[in-house]
Amino acid sequence: MRLTVLGGTASAIGWGVLFVALVVSPILGSAASVFALALMLCLMPVLVQPGALGKLLDAPAQLVFAGVVAVLATSYAITAREPTDVLFFANFLAMPLSAAVYLIALERQGRATTLLILRLCLLGTAVGLGFALYDIFGRNLDRAMGFIGNPNLMPRIALPLGFAALAGVFVDTGWRRWLYCLAPVAAIATTFLCGSRGAFVAIPAMVLPSVIFLWQNKATRAFVTVGALLTAAGAVAGALYLGPSVFERFAGIVQVVSDVLQSGRAGSDGSTQERLVMYSTGIEAFQLSPWIGWGWANLGNIAAELNPAVFASQAGTAFMYHNDAVNFAVAAGVVGLACLAALLVAPVLGAVAAPRDRYFATRLYICLILSVGYAIFGLTDSTLGYDAPTTLYAFLTAMVLGAFREPKAEAPAV
């Protein structure tokens, strides 16, 4: 990425954003998000360059991102108990900043930038798996978590990167296309090493569109078989080297879901039962203020007030309900739920509205992966509104919609 308004310095900053957001985010988590946001703030002059507004008005995803943040900030101001409560809109700061990412990517559209982004996604997935293996075998952790992160956050970064990188089979040529098959396999392996059941549930939802898009073209159908074989081989290797224990956390998912549907309780599964208590408390809070909620700053306060026996210690903390719909419902009521729906639809909306060029299917595939994947992630843990996954979601969407385009001088595909 390069900005003429800031010269070579901007180019270096742009490279920094790419590296931090796509390569080291699986292992640095929130720290990577902070660095990426700080770097993008330095590139905000792109928003005042001639023609910038017109380009953004033709970018529905970026308009939705910015509009949602404006609505949430207004909602937080109305429900604020303290003057600083409105500042919690900063949880979504990546959304408006993605407008600058989009404009820069738009100036670098074409095959070269497209391949660069996909290869960085592939590299980021490999870095994530490498550090996950180090966590298990080098640091002797029970669950991989990255250098700065946790076992539930790491796969929520690795999986979008891995399945996005798979799009390289549509763009690259020759033997290099086969490398991209490794990306989703590596992301799935990272998820197993992290032991994150919530992220694991999203894997089938991300595999399905991948198979559908690959199967549409005879030239890419072989990658479906190769991907399945690599995944099976990885599972066998995991069982041999790590033992059956690597799968134990995942084996009971169906039973837990069955218990919850039948009795409303999770049986002996403590972590799921804790989430159910959070959900019920959040739903009660939503029912007490259904239209505009309580503000993001008061998620912990209202939980402590409604259920002091469990959540008294969460008053005044950065508490979240481990479910995006509940978080948004408590924070901003029906308005918040509408904002969440808009954020999840925005990437696909942007892809559908983009030109029908050679990259249309690639853009649509990645945007669909992001929308579907994040919708499932949000069912079991806080995702949108959590800085690291939110930054990846907003910035990768902007990169794909801006750079994955066919310049007028670029010859059509054969």
Side-chain angles (χ1 to χ4, degrees):
M1 289 183 182
R2 185 158 50 90
L3 275 175
T4 56
V5 71
L6 293 179
T9 300
S11 180
I13 293 173
W15 275 103
V17 172
L18 287 171
F19 181 77
V20 171
L22 302 181
V23 178
V24 298
S25 57
I27 62 173
L28 293 185
S30 295
S33 172
V34 172
F35 287 139
L37 293 175
L39 290 171
M40 278 311 305
L41 285 171
C42 298
L43 299 182
M44 293 308 287
V46 71
L47 295 176
V48 298
Q49 287 187 329
L53 180 59
K55 294 174 182 177
L56 290 175
L57 291 176
D58 289 332
Q62 273 52 60
L63 292 176
V64 170
F65 285 166
V68 162
V69 174
V71 170
L72 289 177
T74 302
S75 171
Y76 298 165
I78 294 172
T79 58
R81 297 181 179 182
E82 301 290 340
T84 56
D85 286 359
V86 70
L87 297 179
F88 277 77
F89 84 91
N91 288 339
F92 302 92
L93 184 59
M95 297 296 176
L97 288 184
S98 73
V101 178
Y102 173 80
L103 289 174
I104 298 169
L106 200 61
E107 293 301 316
R108 297 292 176 267
Q109 59 186 259
R111 187 172 184 271
T113 306
T114 298
L115 284 174
L116 171 64
I117 292 170
L118 293 175
R119 289 170 182 173
L120 289 176
C121 288
L122 175 61
L123 178 58
T125 309
V127 169
L129 176 58
F131 205 93
L133 290 169
Y134 170 68
D135 277 345
I136 300 299
F137 295 106
R139 301 169 71 189
N140 296 315
L141 300 180
D142 293 330
R143 299 170 63 186
M145 59 185 294
F147 185 69
I148 302 174
N150 62 67
N152 290 325
L153 174 61
M154 193 177 188
R156 282 172 166 77
I157 303 297
L159 285 170
L161 287 175
F163 279 90
L166 182 62
V169 304
F170 301 118
V171 183
D172 217 333
T173 58
W175 62 269
R176 289 184 297 270
R177 301 174 76 195
W178 297 97
L179 294 177
Y180 300 99
C181 287
L182 299 174
V185 177
I188 292 171
T190 300
T191 303
F192 272 95
L193 293 173
C194 291
S196 178
R197 295 178 298 179
F200 174 80
V201 173
I203 291 175
M206 301 173 91
V207 167
L208 181 59
S210 302
V211 172
I212 292 174
F213 275 80
L214 288 171
W215 205 258
Q216 295 298 312
N217 190 330
K218 290 183 179 180
T220 57
R221 288 181 183 177
F223 295 100
V224 176
T225 303
V226 171
L229 291 174
L230 288 173
T231 303
V236 172
L240 290 175
Y241 286 97
L242 299 174
S245 60
V246 72
F247 302 106
E248 286 179 359
R249 281 185 55 82
F250 305 95
I253 292 177
V254 175
Q255 183 60 50
V256 170
V257 173
S258 177
D259 290 343
V260 171
L261 293 177
Q262 291 180 13
S263 65
R265 298 185 61 83
S268 60
D269 192 292
S271 61
T272 302
Q273 185 58 39
E274 290 176 4
R275 280 169 166 76
L276 292 176
V277 174
M278 292 180 186
Y279 300 166
S280 63
T281 303
I283 291 171
E284 182 181 357
F286 170 70
Q287 292 172 336
L288 291 173
S289 183
W291 297 111
I292 202 167
W294 303 88
W296 202 278
N298 297 311
L299 294 182
N301 292 332
I302 192 62
E305 293 169 12
L306 295 178
N307 194 346
V310 178
F311 300 116
S313 63
Q314 301 302 327
T317 68
F319 173 80
M320 289 187 281
Y321 291 87
H322 286 267
N323 179 284
D324 278 356
V326 177
N327 284 337
F328 278 77
V330 176
V334 173
V335 172
L337 290 174
C339 286
L340 174 60
L343 290 178
L344 290 173
V345 171
V348 175
L349 178 63
V352 172
R356 296 298 200 273
D357 57 15
R358 69 159 75 180
Y359 298 106
F360 177 77
T362 304
R363 284 193 304 269
L364 181 59
Y365 161 72
I366 296 178
C367 289
L368 190 61
I369 286 292
L370 288 171
S371 292
V372 172
Y374 273 69
I376 304 299
F377 289 157
L379 295 178
T380 58
D381 215 338
S382 301
T383 305
L384 288 174
Y386 193 154
D387 50 11
T390 301
T391 298
L392 178 63
Y393 186 79
F395 282 14
L396 186 53
T397 296
M399 292 176 192
V400 170
L401 294 179
F404 289 33
R405 293 174 180 246
E406 182 179 353
K408 293 180 180 179
E410 188 170 302
V414 177

